[in-house]
Amino acid sequence: MLNEIYNHLDPIIFSIGPLDIRWYGLAYSVGFLCFAFLTYRLAKRWQIKINVDAILILVICVIAGIVIGARVGYIFFYGKGYYLEHPEMILAFSGMSFHGGLIGVLIGGLVAAKITRIPFSTIADFGAIGAPLGLFFGRCANFINGELWGAPTDASWGVVFGGMAGSMPRHPTQLYEAFLEGLVLFCILFILARKKPPLPRGTFIGFFLILYGIFRFAIEFVREPDVQLGYLWGGWFTMGMLLSLPMVVVGVGVVIYALRKKLPQQGLPEVAPTE
């Protein structure tokens, strides 16, 4: 059934002359729109000040951080020297890394915090709550593109991706990730975000790091490692696992720190009235 669905999917939604509109680009666009909408709604629920200009700055910084960070992260973590020999391929954007994108978006959040004067930890919490929806759409696009497939399987839901994946059915790990790192993670954080008063600054980014790290580590057991890297150790330990473990450790530390400090969520600073 799932294999039949995959066989009827096209990475290109439609074309306008030489311009191809792809699911992957749409996934990014919808993810950023969801982030902007959630930030606006959560700010109102948490009763903190934010405006359209601040949200626009956040979105621009997030987009720049994700795109640049994800590409640089892929080159650094998964390139294995290829891009040193082929620097002209750096801007091809043929590979993106979530962990690199995470670092990039955190740097983008620091820039946004400097510009808007909204605390970085509040911005990070907004991003943590919105990110799983972007991950959901992105992993679904990965499935449509037939990339980041899983290990061979004889399960009834195995998918034959073809191409470099060969003719054997494989785990649709893109959909496993869309479910766990996307829908499940979003539901958990969104439910927590509805608590009043809101949880302290930094709580949500901490929980995001913990849960994403755990989910990604588990899925890596059935996800095929990048061919240029293979397994790092023991025929099962992958680069994705190596990068996810620190996320859990850091996330635990962030949550403990946030719950001890109990700093309230804060929006734009109040402007003192002039005489």
Side-chain angles (χ1 to χ4, degrees):
M1 177 64 178
L2 191 58
N3 192 59
E4 288 297 315
I5 294 174
Y6 173 76
N7 289 332
H8 287 85
L9 296 174
D10 190 334
I12 300 174
I13 307 174
F14 60 88
S15 299
I16 304 175
L19 178 64
D20 293 333
I21 307 301
R22 295 177 175 271
W23 288 107
Y24 201 67
L26 180 63
Y28 267 81
S29 300
V30 174
F32 293 136
L33 288 174
C34 288
F35 166 69
F37 177 74
L38 279 170
T39 298
Y40 171 76
R41 294 294 299 175
L42 287 172
K44 289 188 65 175
R45 183 171 186 83
W46 292 351
Q47 297 181 334
I48 62 176
K49 183 181 177 182
I50 198 166
N51 56 33
V52 174
D53 289 343
I55 292 176
L56 182 59
I57 291 170
L58 295 183
V59 171
I60 291 173
C61 290
V62 165
I63 291 174
I66 288 178
V67 173
I68 296 173
R71 183 56 178 164
V72 172
Y74 183 84
I75 292 170
F76 183 77
F77 296 133
Y78 298 95
K80 203 177 181 181
Y82 172 81
Y83 294 96
L84 291 176
E85 299 177 3
H86 303 85
E88 73 280 1
M89 296 301 295
I90 290 176
L91 296 180
F93 285 90
S94 57
M96 307 287 271
S97 161
F98 165 81
H99 296 91
L102 175 63
I103 295 171
V105 78
L106 290 175
I107 295 173
L110 287 170
V111 174
K114 183 71 173 178
I115 297 172
T116 63
R117 294 197 292 163
I118 299 173
F120 169 71
S121 48
T122 291
I123 291 176
D125 281 346
F126 283 142
I129 298 167
L133 288 180
L135 286 168
F136 170 77
F137 295 124
R139 294 311 185 194
C140 288
N142 289 146
F143 176 75
I144 294 172
N145 287 348
E147 58 195 10
L148 306 182
W149 55 78
T153 179
D154 55 4
S156 60
W157 58 84
V159 175
V160 178
F161 291 101
M164 292 182 64
S167 59
M168 71 285 287
R170 292 180 175 274
H171 283 284
T173 46
Q174 313 96 325
L175 299 184
Y176 301 169
E177 292 190 68
F179 177 69
L180 288 176
E181 302 164 8
L183 294 181
V184 172
L185 186 49
F186 171 73
C187 288
I188 293 171
L189 294 177
F190 186 72
I191 290 171
L192 291 175
R194 295 184 61 80
K195 291 176 64 67
K196 285 189 174 182
L199 295 176
R201 296 196 325 237
T203 308
F204 297 95
I205 184 63
F207 279 129
F208 174 86
L209 293 172
I210 294 169
L211 293 173
Y212 180 91
I214 292 172
F215 292 153
R216 177 65 182 269
F217 191 95
I219 292 171
E220 285 287 320
F221 280 103
V222 292
R223 178 174 167 175
E224 192 82 356
D226 289 62
V227 64
Q228 72 273 21
L229 290 181
Y231 294 103
L232 302 184
W233 178 77
W236 63 273
F237 193 76
T238 67
M239 178 61 77
M241 291 178 174
L242 178 63
L243 296 174
S244 296
L245 285 175
M247 291 181 64
V248 178
V249 176
V250 172
V252 171
V254 170
V255 170
I256 293 173
Y257 179 83
L259 294 178
R260 284 182 176 176
K261 288 293 185 179
K262 297 183 179 179
L263 297 174
Q265 300 289 351
Q266 183 179 321
L268 293 166
E270 297 293 337
V271 179
T274 57
E275 295 293 338

